[in-house]
């Protein structure tokens, strides 16, 4: 069984910074892509950032230049450094990971429970 747990959410003023972390644990053989997504009330979940096992990174234009995704393969963690936060960044942030549980089997997608990020004056 694989679990992903996010941490680091909270309340921050516009222009402030916040760092989110996500730790994967359980029966993990290897982790391929990892990413961060967010969902605001009344909206669909949207991509925030992804990072492949090889280090290739993708951001949407909404966060490019402000957010930075990184991963620590030894610790099985993925982090999201968020700078210059805006009120529209307010959402529940979820991490995910494509995990190979058993060698030679296909990867499965796992999601964390989410952490609330609120950007407000």
């Amino acid at each position: 069984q694989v679990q992903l747990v996010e941490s680091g959410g909270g309340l921050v003023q516009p222009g402030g910074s916040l760092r989110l972390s996500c730790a994967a644990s359980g029966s993990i053989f290897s982790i391929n892509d990892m990413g961060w997504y967010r969902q605001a009330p009344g909206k669909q979940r949207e991509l925030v950032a992804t990072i492949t096992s090889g280090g290739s990174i993708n951001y949407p234009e909404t966060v490019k230049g402000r957010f930075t995704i990184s991963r620590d393969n030894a610790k099985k963690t993925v982090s999201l450094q968020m700078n210059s936060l805006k009120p529209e960044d307010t959402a529940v942030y979820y991490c995910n990971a494509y995990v190979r549980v058993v060698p030679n089997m296909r990867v499965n997608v796992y999601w964390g429970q989410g952490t609330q990020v609120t950007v407000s004056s």
Side-chain angles (χ1 to χ4, degrees):
Q1 189 173 13
V2 177
Q3 294 182 335
L4 275 65
V5 180
E6 302 97 337
S7 63
L11 175 65
V12 64
Q13 294 184 339
S17 298
L18 211 58
R19 183 176 180 85
L20 307 182
S21 296
C22 174
S25 62
S27 301
I28 300 173
F29 176 75
S30 64
I31 302 176
N32 291 357
D33 296 356
M34 304 184 79
W36 286 94
Y37 295 75
R38 66 188 182 187
Q39 187 168 21
K43 296 183 178 180
Q44 293 184 317
R45 188 172 298 187
E46 66 174 345
L47 170 72
V48 176
T50 60
I51 182 168
T52 69
S53 60
S56 181
I57 296 171
N58 181 52
Y59 304 103
E61 291 298 324
T62 50
V63 308
K64 189 176 297 183
R66 300 187 298 120
F67 291 9
T68 303
I69 188 172
S70 61
R71 63 189 289 170
D72 187 327
N73 292 328
K75 296 181 179 179
K76 297 183 177 64
T77 61
V78 59
S79 298
L80 184 70
Q81 178 66 47
M82 303 184 293
N83 299 324
S84 301
L85 284 163
K86 305 174 181 179
E88 50 263 43
D89 294 319
T90 296
V92 177
Y93 284 69
Y94 301 88
C95 69
N96 84 333
Y98 288 77
V99 178
R100 189 185 304 277
V101 177
V102 179
N104 296 322
M105 292 188 67
R106 66 175 297 165
V107 298
N108 296 314
V109 181
Y110 294 89
W111 292 87
Q113 295 298 309
T115 184
Q116 177 70 49
V117 172
T118 302
V119 184
S120 177
S121 299

